Amino acid sequence: MADQSPSVRTSRLSGFYQKSVAERTSIIAQWANLSAEEVSALHSGLSVAQADKMIENVIGVYNLPLGIGANFIINGREVLVPMVVEEPSVVAGVSYAAKLARSGGGFRTGSTRSIMIAQVQLLGVADFEQARANILAAKADLLAAANTSPTIAARGGGPIDIEVRFLPETFTEPMLIVHLLFDALDAMGANAVNTAAEAIAPLLERLTGGRALLRILSNLSDRRRAWAEVTIPAETFSSIHASGEEVIAGIVHANAFALADPYRAATHNKGILNGIDAVAIATGNDWRAIEAGVHAYAARDGQYRALTEWRVITDNSASGGQTEGAQRKLALYGRLEMPLAVGIVGGATRAHPTAQVALKILGVSSARELAEIMVAVGLAQNLAAIRALATEGIQRGHMALHARQVAIAAGATGDDIDRIAAQLAAEGQIRVERARELLKGT
């Protein structure tokens, strides 16, 4: 077992994937000081009775694998990341990229305040300029009416501003759109923001002479962003097949492709979300809302683009600062910034027992800290994918991990799963038909 005593606490779990589920669970339980009940939640998850209180027409529960993204250093803190995902290579890829990032000190992150946007759509407004003036003049009254969450208000959050937008050309008629900016603090904020929008709609009707139709939050939470960056010495990427300089140049070319071409960008950004969605699901957050906001943000300048920036830089830190005549050392710099509305209170985050354990493993104390971890995971996931694409290709590693799923689909059980998966990978034939042939030969 890895030594997780406070003096040597590290997310660098060497050989973690080779251990049994029981051994891995024991390591994580020690890391996060989990109780027996919390360990049980990792294995048994959500009960049918609990599920029946969360959504309608429940007939059962559907399980997905929960793994640990290892090796992360984020803002100087060692972090283990719970991830719920069914796709092979996601957890392995992100853990490998986080290991690479350690050579540059790990990930540095930041975030904005947790500002959400509520929209109120007003129809039939006769004088838009006068309506705008009336709304802005009544801003204090509107903000007071929107202060509908005592819990959030008591902690310093709630409505903070009003904005007015005019849509002169729509498919039906001109519209006046009012944005209520709302600091949701540690909540994702959908319920609080929607309630606030409902509360101000009657006053907006009186101020404008219009009719309020839609009153709902926007999932393009571009006032609630998080970002991560990383600098990794080129030599970290060196292998017998290519120099580190060649590898990082390939990564930059791959990113440039995704910045210029929406067909590539869609797959590029999907790779980012492989990691972010997995953490969102593990912590009970709304991954669908996250995806909607991310894809809208990726097209904010009129063309859908990659969300990441990767470039080659001179790594002055490698020699304690660049000096005249010193040999230049190259490094890969990466940055990801995106809207990320997540919470650590309310909703499924508190209703699902495993989500609560996942948050404890992460050791986060605010929604902003969770968002910053998630964006670091997204950047790491992207690095893993485009490094593989720019070197040996994505299929080699992905299909080797996929072989276990193929073995199971062919009917393998117990020790036969790993034996047949290893044979499939060695042969380069990751097919159910071949797995069945190997099973028959046992």
Side-chain angles (χ1 to χ4, degrees), residues 164-184:
V164 184
R165 298 173 56 225
F166 177 40
L167 302 181
E169 296 181 7
T170 76
F171 184 72
T172 55
E173 63 178 77
M175 302 171 186
L176 193 68
I177 310 300
V178 176
H179 281 190
L180 168 66
L181 305 188
F182 191 102
D183 190 344

Side-chain angles (χ1 to χ4, degrees), residues 58 76 81 83 113 150 193 214 234 261 274 277-278 331 367:
V58 166
V81 184
M83 303 175 71
R113 291 173 65 186
V193 169
L214 299 190
D261 180 60
N274 275 345
D277 285 353

Side-chain angles (χ1 to χ4, degrees), residues 175-249:
M175 302 171 186
L176 193 68
I177 310 300
V178 176
H179 281 190
L180 168 66
L181 305 188
F182 191 102
D183 190 344
L185 298 180
D186 288 329
M188 185 274 179
N191 290 333
V193 169
N194 290 338
T195 300
E198 293 281 358
I200 65 172
L203 180 53
L204 288 172
E205 289 179 328
R206 292 196 296 272
L207 290 167
T208 64
R211 175 173 63 91
L213 187 59
L214 299 190
R215 292 151 284 186
I216 191 169
L217 89 162
S218 170
N219 286 126
L220 176 52
S221 53
D222 56 2
R223 313 295 178 91
R224 188 177 188 175
R225 304 184 311 280
W227 55 86
E229 58 183 9
V230 67
T231 303
I232 307 173
E235 62 198 37
T236 304
F237 295 89
S238 295
S239 70
I240 60 173
H241 303 292
S243 69
E245 288 80 4
E246 290 173 323
V247 173
I248 65 175

Side-chain angles (χ1 to χ4, degrees), residues 249-378:
I251 289 170
V252 172
H253 284 307
N255 196 76
F257 180 15
L259 285 168
D261 180 60
Y263 291 92
R264 172 61 200 143
T267 310
H268 181 100
N269 289 342
K270 187 267 182 183
I272 294 169
L273 289 162
N274 275 345
I276 289 174
D277 285 353
V279 184
I281 296 170
T283 57
N285 275 282
D286 188 346
W287 58 269
R288 301 163 303 279
I290 291 170
E291 290 220 352
V294 164
H295 292 305
Y297 188 74
R300 63 192 181 281
D301 71 352
Q303 178 179 317
Y304 186 88
R305 301 182 186 278
L307 290 162
T308 50
E309 171 193 2
W310 292 102
R311 51 190 169 88
V312 176
I313 64 170
T314 300
D315 184 14
N316 293 334
S317 65
S319 58
Q322 191 71 20
T323 59
E324 187 176 351
Q327 183 179 5
R328 287 198 327 149
K329 289 185 177 292
L330 300 182
L332 178 70
Y333 169 82
R335 190 175 195 277
L336 170 61
E337 181 170 350
M338 55 186 286
L340 203 48
V342 296
I344 62 170
V345 297
T349 299
R350 286 305 181 197
H352 200 302
T354 312
Q356 296 175 47
V357 177
L359 288 171
K360 186 172 182 180
I361 293 170
L362 285 166
V364 295
S365 58
S366 71
R368 288 178 61 176
E369 189 178 5
L370 174 59
E372 291 177 21
I373 289 173
M374 290 171 71
V375 77
V377 171

Side-chain angles (χ1 to χ4, degrees), residues 18-68:
Q18 295 174 316
K19 299 182 183 299
S20 68
V21 172
E23 289 172 324
R24 294 185 207 125
T25 302
S26 177
I27 291 170
I28 300 306
Q30 187 175 351
W31 165 279
N33 193 27
L34 301 181
S35 67
E37 184 179 4
E38 289 168 329
V39 170
S40 177
L42 286 175
H43 293 174
S44 59
L46 190 70
S47 69
V48 174
Q50 290 168 321
D52 190 41
K53 303 302 180 184
M54 293 178 67
I55 66 166
E56 307 77 30
N57 300 341
V58 166
I59 61 167
V61 292
Y62 183 94
N63 294 324
L64 288 171
L66 192 161
I68 291 291

